[in-house]
Amino acid sequence: MAGTRRAFAFQAEQHRPDAATLLTGEQLRERGILTLRALEYVAPNLTIQSINGTASTNFYLRGLGFNDFTQSNMGPVLAYYDDVPYAYSTMATGMMFDLANVTVMPGPVGTEHGQSDTGGEILFHTNDPTDSFHAGASEDMASYARSRSEAYVSGPLARGLSFRIAGQVQKGGGWQTDPLNGAHLGDADLWALRAKLKWQLDSRTTVMLTGHVVQDDSEVVGGIPIHRLIGSAPLPTVGWTQTEWSLRPQFASLIGRKAGLKPSEHDWFWGADLNIAHDFGFATLRSISAFETMREQEYTDQDATAQAQADTYRTIDSNAFTQELRLSNSDAAARFQWAIGAFYQRTRMNQRFFFDYTDYLPARGYMQASTFGLNEEATSEFAHVSYRLPHDVKLFGGLLHEIDDRGITGMQSEIFGGRTKNFHGENTAAAQFAGQVGVSWQATQNVLVYYKMSKGFKPGGFTANNTQIQAQLNPFKPESVLTYELGFKSDLIHNVLRVNGAAFYNDFHNQQILGTILIPDFGPLSQLTNVPKSESWGFEGTVDLHVLRHVFLTQNFGWQRGTFQDFPTVNRAATNAYYAAHHVWKAINDNFAGVNNGQPKLTLNGQVEWRQAISQSYGIEFGPNWVYRDAQALTPGGTGFYRLPPYFLLGAHVTLHPVSEKWQITLYASNILNRHYYTTGGQATTTYFYIPGAPRFIGGRISYGF
């Protein structure tokens, strides 16, 4: 009967020694988590920020991450779709549909599968083909003419052969206007398609072929200027749902786009992967081959005014090939568990950045383009073992060795109507070990306690945006971290109370971060650099409570602190202040030793839901959800407008469905209190700007499946 108790999900995962946050596809739909960035609202200590309101994103997990506008370096947190790592987070645009589940895994990874990383991984698993015929569709319509449509069809084709095709379309939803002319900004215009073909050759061999394509022509979210860094002209006065932008006809002609183009994407993503598994009896061999392509064209107005002081257009052509081979024992009940494997990645990327500085006078007053290529190749070998001792004590450990070689080529900086600078290529290579050791104890049938130490490794790279001098191409060093983690998982009262928690300490060496350098007669520019020594610590956890028959509560909590122990750099705030007072660029050097790393200290999110049968045939579910995110420094040591204010958001939903759950009708609201808040910020040239978050949305969703 609808409204009766439901078991907590992911029972088997309660016996694994990790701090993963796991969510079913149904849970994501209930909370309205339909985009990559929204995942930070359902996991602790996770931050996913759009770059200047665009489809490109930066990940931070337990405070570990960095801001890479070019998206040409591997991030500290990787996204995977069906075991395929996406080298660049932008490739994951438009892929969050027809999902089975999502796992957010914090801490160093790479000894059990895939690619090594220091911060963790987000694993997306999409629905597989089914042996019987199924189909379904949903339509979601909300404020600001936003619509999201999804559909799937799945079933057998022949004996041992089945398929699944799923797709989505997103339209509208733009809530910003230009106060100068009333123009509208922010509408989505995206479609995506995924197809899977499963071939069960025999009882031991499975072949899965997957292909996907995404086209994204969505408009971006414009910024709100917060502070004028250079010059004396007053900033435009705009409301919370307003933004200014401009595109001069000369710049439109230069980039080959139509006049009147709004800040927007024009992106194609497509790829295919082949996943083959064969059980030899004593062990299972899995091969995962994948090819991913990204074609991105993106226009943004990075001064957030009608002036042409930092209008930017960039093109990215990128290809990535990955191959993983993994052999693991087949008996999941055996005392001794083992896995060995190898991973290979090869990427090729070409980027071109166009800048319109025409109104940035007297310092620049020109249009400029920067062009570069990036070649990268990495190989790693890994092994992981565990052994279960008497009294349910388990020892486990893993080892990984990785070689990474990457180089930047063809860097050119051209001022149209002026000089052209060519820079020689740079290369960087690294070969390091990473690993993990730990112990877990299944104290009771429902309580697991564990401790582990993990060393993570991430290769170095380059800062390639707006290059003015050769020194800007000096590579930054590889990053490593030693993480200590103590945690527990418990179903204290079966199907009534679940409490999971973990405490961690990260000891960083050469942590990669977006710092600042000063170019003489040009100004401060962002530069990816290394912090010689830093640390962070904190805890996180989840409480699931089902004391009352109809009430289900979930609360995630995360708390973290971190400090730079040795970080010599240019103090951007002080350097900008000196220029404002003296009209001369002078680097104000500082060491941020003892300064907080600036990541949100406290993150809270959760929901409470009442599930009630209203008859023998129908049930209803309703309740609120909430999010709190603490303040975040946007530059190292940032205070004042360099610190993003904290915010609290409240949402709610009510769903009607039959006992069979073949169909659902949902009414929902997000940001019910219509809070004014900001999701990220940055500086391009003359202004410091914030990217605002969405206002109140009220909508409805209807779905049907059989």
Side-chain angles (χ1 to χ4, degrees):
M1 175 183 291
T4 58
R5 290 190 177 196
R6 301 179 184 179
F8 295 146
F10 305 107
Q11 292 291 337
E13 285 75 10
Q14 284 294 101
H15 303 283
R16 297 179 183 175
D18 58 46
T21 300
L22 301 107
L23 299 148
T24 66
E26 180 183 4
Q27 290 171 328
L28 294 171
R29 287 189 296 272
E30 284 179 355
R31 290 290 301 274
I33 308 303
L34 304 174
T35 64
L36 184 64
R37 208 192 71 75
L39 277 174
E40 69 178 17
Y41 296 151
V42 289
N45 285 330
L46 174 65
T47 297
I48 305 177
Q49 291 180 318
S50 165
I51 301 175
N52 299 332
T54 69
S56 300
T57 52
N58 289 316
F59 296 90
Y60 301 81
L61 190 50
R62 289 180 172 176
L64 185 58
F66 75 153
N67 185 357
D68 182 14
F69 173 66
T70 66
Q71 293 287 282
S72 57
N73 297 288
M74 194 181 94
V77 181
L78 284 179
Y80 285 72
Y81 269 89
D82 294 328
D83 293 325
V84 176
Y86 282 23
Y88 310 110
S89 65
T90 312
M91 289 179 169
T93 298
M95 295 286 285
M96 282 190 61
F97 64 97
D98 198 37
L99 292 177
N101 57 72
V102 174
T103 301
V104 179
M105 181 70 72
V109 293
T111 63
E112 295 183 78
H113 75 101
Q115 192 162 11
S116 171
D117 217 337
T118 50
E121 57 194 16
I122 303 177
L123 309 170
F124 298 88
H125 296 283
T126 64
N127 286 312
D128 286 336
T130 52
D131 294 331
S132 57
F133 188 80
H134 294 276
S138 67
E139 180 62 35
D140 185 326
M141 303 190 70
S143 309
Y144 302 95
R146 187 184 74 187
S147 70
R148 292 170 172 159
S149 308
E150 294 189 23
Y152 74 91
V153 59
S154 178
L157 290 173
R159 184 176 181 180
L161 190 65
S162 56
F163 79 101
R164 189 180 189 95
I165 299 175
Q168 72 158 337
V169 176
Q170 298 181 14
K171 295 286 186 179
W175 46 268
Q176 289 186 304
T177 57
D178 189 331
L180 299 178
N181 54 27
H184 184 82
L185 183 67
D187 280 337
D189 184 7
L190 177 148
W191 65 266
L193 190 67
R194 180 187 298 118
K196 286 187 169 185
L197 187 64
K198 181 181 178 181
W199 185 16
Q200 193 72 49
L201 276 76
D202 52 45
S203 60
R204 293 177 176 268
T205 309
T206 304
V207 178
M208 184 85 75
L209 176 64
T210 303
H212 67 87
V213 60
V214 178
Q215 181 179 355
D216 185 9
D217 290 314
S218 302
E219 297 164 3
V220 305
V221 179
I224 293 178
I226 299 298
H227 185 80
R228 180 165 290 285
L229 299 170
I230 300 169
S232 57
L235 291 175
T237 300
V238 297
W240 178 49
T241 59
Q242 295 178 324
T243 185
E244 289 186 6
W245 70 89
S246 64
L247 177 67
R248 296 188 316 113
Q250 297 89 333
F251 193 53
S253 177
L254 176 67
I255 63 178
R257 299 298 299 273
K258 64 181 181 181
L261 178 70
K262 296 180 181 180
S264 59
E265 307 282 348
H266 182 49
D267 307 335
W268 276 93
F269 309 95
W270 62 269
D273 61 85
L274 181 65
N275 192 320
I276 304 173
H278 180 75
D279 186 353
F280 290 97
F282 73 97
T284 298
L285 177 66
R286 185 176 296 275
S287 170
I288 307 168
S289 310
F291 183 80
E292 299 292 334
T293 295
M294 174 171 66
R295 300 288 183 263
E296 183 175 16
Q297 299 177 47
E298 179 183 87
Y299 163 53
T300 52
D301 191 313
Q302 294 184 29
D303 57 274
T305 73
Q307 300 297 306
Q309 296 178 335
D311 295 357
T312 305
Y313 186 78
R314 69 172 178 174
T315 65
I316 303 178
D317 293 338
S318 176
N319 301 313
F321 171 76
T322 59
Q323 173 64 57
E324 179 176 349
L325 287 174
R326 184 168 71 240
L327 186 69
S328 58
N329 67 301
S330 300
D331 185 3
R335 286 184 175 273
F336 181 58
Q337 301 285 323
W338 57 270
I340 58 173
F343 179 84
Y344 172 78
Q345 175 180 283
R346 178 185 183 273
T347 64
R348 295 292 182 266
M349 174 182 286
N350 289 287
Q351 293 199 27
R352 195 173 193 196
F353 286 80
F354 295 87
F355 305 92
D356 190 354
Y357 298 130
T358 302
D359 295 329
Y360 182 6
L361 298 171
R364 302 183 192 177
Y366 50 74
M367 295 187 293
Q368 176 189 336
S370 295
T371 305
F372 70 91
L374 183 73
N375 300 325
E376 185 265 345
E377 196 166 13
T379 305
S380 62
E381 308 83 33
F382 58 86
H384 194 275
V385 297
S386 68
Y387 187 78
R388 189 175 71 253
L389 299 169
H391 307 293
D392 287 321
V393 174
K394 182 182 291 186
L395 303 177
F396 58 90
L399 186 65
L400 174 140
H401 178 257
E402 180 173 318
I403 298 174
D404 183 274
D405 190 0
R406 60 186 63 210
I408 195 165
T409 64
M411 171 59 74
Q412 182 185 80
S413 180
E414 177 185 4
I415 294 177
F416 295 96
R419 55 104 178 120
T420 297
K421 289 184 178 180
N422 292 293
F423 303 90
H424 63 74
E426 295 282 358
N427 289 275
T428 182
Q432 290 200 18
F433 285 92
Q436 181 184 99
V437 294
V439 57
S440 67
W441 176 38
Q442 192 72 51
T444 71
Q445 182 179 357
N446 297 319
V447 177
L448 174 76
V449 181
Y450 71 90
Y451 172 75
K452 64 181 177 181
M453 297 183 295
S454 308
K455 180 182 183 294
F457 160 74
K458 187 173 85 70
F462 305 92
T463 307
N465 179 29
N466 204 354
T467 301
Q468 300 297 317
I469 59 176
Q470 183 67 42
Q472 286 180 264
L473 294 182
N474 292 339
F476 54 87
K477 300 175 184 177
E479 169 183 276
S480 66
V481 60
L482 185 60
T483 297
Y484 305 85
E485 182 177 314
L486 176 66
F488 68 93
K489 292 183 173 182
S490 64
D491 283 315
L492 296 176
I493 306 175
H494 180 65
N495 201 28
V496 173
L497 176 62
R498 170 180 290 180
V499 182
N500 295 343
F504 62 89
Y505 174 80
N506 293 318
D507 183 12
F508 300 107
H509 292 270
N510 289 318
Q511 182 180 1
Q512 296 165 3
I513 196 169
L514 187 66
T516 301
I517 62 171
L518 181 69
I519 307 299
D521 301 322
F522 193 87
L525 288 176
S526 297
Q527 180 88 356
L528 290 168
T529 186
N530 296 96
V531 178
K533 192 72 172 63
S534 56
E535 63 181 350
S536 69
W537 61 94
F539 61 84
E540 61 210 8
T542 299
V543 176
D544 288 305
L545 186 62
H546 180 34
V547 175
L548 301 177
R549 181 171 183 262
H550 298 290
V551 179
F552 295 76
L553 181 143
T554 296
Q555 176 65 58
N556 293 315
F557 56 89
W559 184 89
Q560 60 184 353
R561 293 291 302 272
T563 58
F564 304 121
Q565 296 166 290
D566 179 24
F567 184 14
T569 187
V570 173
N571 188 318
R572 178 174 289 218
T575 299
N576 283 328
Y578 185 91
Y579 181 86
H582 302 91
H583 304 291
V584 175
W585 285 119
K586 178 183 177 181
I588 308 300
N589 295 306
D590 201 350
N591 192 314
F592 287 143
V595 173
N596 187 271
N597 66 9
Q599 287 299 300
K601 294 183 179 66
L602 179 65
T603 58
L604 300 170
N605 56 73
Q607 70 171 356
V608 60
E609 187 174 57
W610 184 286
R611 301 173 183 171
Q612 175 72 51
I614 58 177
S615 73
Q616 290 294 324
S617 302
Y618 297 98
I620 192 171
E621 302 172 1
F622 60 91
N625 59 76
W626 53 88
V627 172
Y628 174 80
R629 298 188 63 78
D630 217 336
Q632 177 184 356
L634 297 173
T635 62
T639 59
F641 60 84
Y642 290 103
R643 181 172 291 272
L644 207 64
Y647 63 87
F648 171 81
L649 303 177
L650 181 67
H653 83 282
V654 56
T655 298
L656 175 69
H657 60 83
V659 172
S660 66
E661 299 197 7
K662 284 187 175 181
W663 57 264
Q664 289 187 347
I665 298 176
T666 299
L667 298 177
Y668 65 87
S670 60
N671 192 9
I672 291 175
L673 304 177
N674 207 31
R675 291 289 183 89
H676 297 186
Y677 67 104
Y678 303 98
T679 60
T680 187
Q683 170 193 352
T685 50
T686 59
T687 63
Y688 206 88
F689 60 88
Y690 287 167
I691 300 297
R696 180 191 299 119
F697 270 75
I698 298 175
R701 180 174 59 252
I702 183 169
S703 61
Y704 180 80
F706 63 90

